[in-house]
Amino acid sequence: MTATSGPGGVIAVDWGTTNRRAYRLDADGRVGDALRDDRGVLTMAADDYPPALAALRERLGDLPVIAAGMIGSTRGWREAPYVPAPCGLADLAAAALRLPEARMTIVPGVSVLTERRADVMRGEEIQVLGAIAAGLAPADALFCQPGTHNKWITTADARIVDVATVMTGELFSLLKGHGILAGMLDGAVVDGTAFRDGLARGAGACDLGTALFEVRASVLLGRRASEEAAAYASGVLIGSDVGARAVAGRTVHLLAEGALADLYKVAIETLDGTVVAIDATAGFLGGVHRLRGMLA
């Protein structure tokens, strides 16, 4: 049995910073079993990976492993260097880090480096390219994956050509826990008047710092109820993020689900974009299944 194929299938692992998702796939890409836990790379030392792989195989089957995400970063187990954009699944397969002794393959991330900017990602590339390979999205598309570090990914001819990472979620967390807005952002972040007011303020704003201070001032001066401050601040940040993408008249493929994805959907549609929701897990599994054939 090689590191990338086997009669019983393969274990596909999305090994992130704080979480880990693993799936047993059969030869046709169907899921037989799955697990999700908090064994992200930040919880693990280098010596923890061999027993962790053994435990995965005990649970999901004695199969080869294909892993993507932060496990291939400098914080993970073994570094799989980034593949420069433009990049497709074949490019990822060619640059994949093979670990025969562990019967494992680590998929590299994707980088963008131009005279104006630099960006990187790990894990999202499999979801995006897998969604295209599975027919869930066209070859030329704009993707958005909300999260702590929101990703905007542009593809052309089924290859990733650009990546833009926005620290929207992290900024909100920092504002909530530190600084002058700490203690003011404990209310619910939900769609409503306050959130949409924030969207309008943040969209196209060149003065994001000023707009965020207005969260405090508007509460102090009685313009906004204190319990609405968090929704308004979230709207400002998400509005600034989405507003910078010029989504009007465009289709955005949203690779996420849950409350944050719902807020991004509202923001994109408010700014005259069209949202197509895509199951990120289906994209990931489609990507690994297609990669498996390329790696064999």
Side-chain angles (χ1 to χ4, degrees), residues 269-292:
E269 293 178 343
T270 297
L271 295 176
D272 298 322
T274 299
V275 172
V276 174
I278 295 178
D279 185 327
T281 299
F284 173 75
L285 297 177
V288 171
H289 180 57
R290 183 63 63 88
L291 270 174
R292 183 189 183 204

Side-chain angles (χ1 to χ4, degrees), residues 79-100:
E79 184 178 3
Y82 293 106
V83 178
C87 171
L89 283 173
D91 302 296
L92 294 178
L97 178 63
R98 298 170 185 257
L99 304 175

Side-chain angles (χ1 to χ4, degrees), residues 2-288:
T2 71
T4 56
S5 63
V10 68
I11 297 173
V13 187
D14 184 357
W15 213 317
T17 303
T18 57
N19 295 295
R20 180 182 65 170
R21 300 171 181 85
Y23 310 86
R24 185 178 73 240
L25 302 183
D26 67 14
D28 295 319
R30 293 186 296 260
V31 178
D33 196 3
L35 68 84
R36 175 176 178 172
D37 58 29
D38 58 359
R39 296 296 306 278
V41 300
L42 292 185
T43 70
M44 303 184 68
D47 292 343
D48 294 331
Y49 286 95
L53 288 171
L56 276 180
R57 289 185 168 113
E58 183 176 353
R59 163 68 188 275
L60 299 178
D62 186 21
L63 300 169
V65 173
I66 298 176
M70 292 300 288
I71 188 173
S73 72
T74 55
R75 291 187 171 189
W77 188 27
R78 305 283 181 84
E79 184 178 3
Y82 293 106
V83 178
C87 171
L89 283 173
D91 302 296
L92 294 178
L97 178 63
R98 298 170 185 257
L99 304 175
E101 71 283 3
R103 296 165 56 216
M104 180 179 188
T105 299
I106 297 178
V107 182
V110 175
S111 64
V112 171
L113 182 61
T114 70
E115 291 183 358
R116 295 181 58 249
R117 51 185 298 271
D119 215 318
V120 295
M121 68 178 179
R122 287 189 186 274
E124 296 90 353
E125 68 286 336
I126 298 296
Q127 297 174 13
V128 165
L129 297 174
I132 294 172
L136 302 175
D140 301 344
L142 174 64
F143 294 83
C144 176
Q145 189 178 58
T148 301
H149 297 155
N150 183 41
K151 299 285 186 183
W152 295 90
I153 303 158
T154 305
T155 64
D157 195 23
R159 303 180 80 198
I160 293 169
V161 296
D162 195 24
V163 179
T165 304
V166 190
M167 297 171 61
T168 314
E170 185 169 354
L171 285 173
F172 183 84
S173 179
L174 290 170
L175 290 168
K176 182 176 180 177
H178 306 277
I180 200 168
L181 296 184
M184 299 187 74
L185 303 182
D186 295 328
V189 177
V190 295
D191 182 26
T193 300
F195 178 74
R196 296 195 182 214
D197 286 349
L199 284 180
R201 179 66 179 90
C206 298
D207 57 347
L208 180 59
T210 300
L212 289 170
F213 186 81
E214 288 170 5
V215 176
R216 173 176 170 79
S218 64
V219 172
L220 293 178
L221 298 177
R223 173 168 289 181
R224 190 166 305 282
S226 59
E227 58 269 22
E228 296 178 339
Y232 181 78
S234 178
V236 168
L237 288 167
I238 293 176
S240 174
D241 179 4
V242 177
R245 306 307 131 196
V247 299
R250 304 181 69 184
T251 297
V252 179
H253 295 80
L254 199 61
L255 270 166
E257 61 183 17
L260 185 57
D262 292 342
L263 294 176
Y264 266 85
K265 182 176 187 294
V266 169
I268 292 165
E269 293 178 343
T270 297
L271 295 176
D272 298 322
T274 299
V275 172
V276 174
I278 295 178
D279 185 327
T281 299
F284 173 75
L285 297 177
V288 171

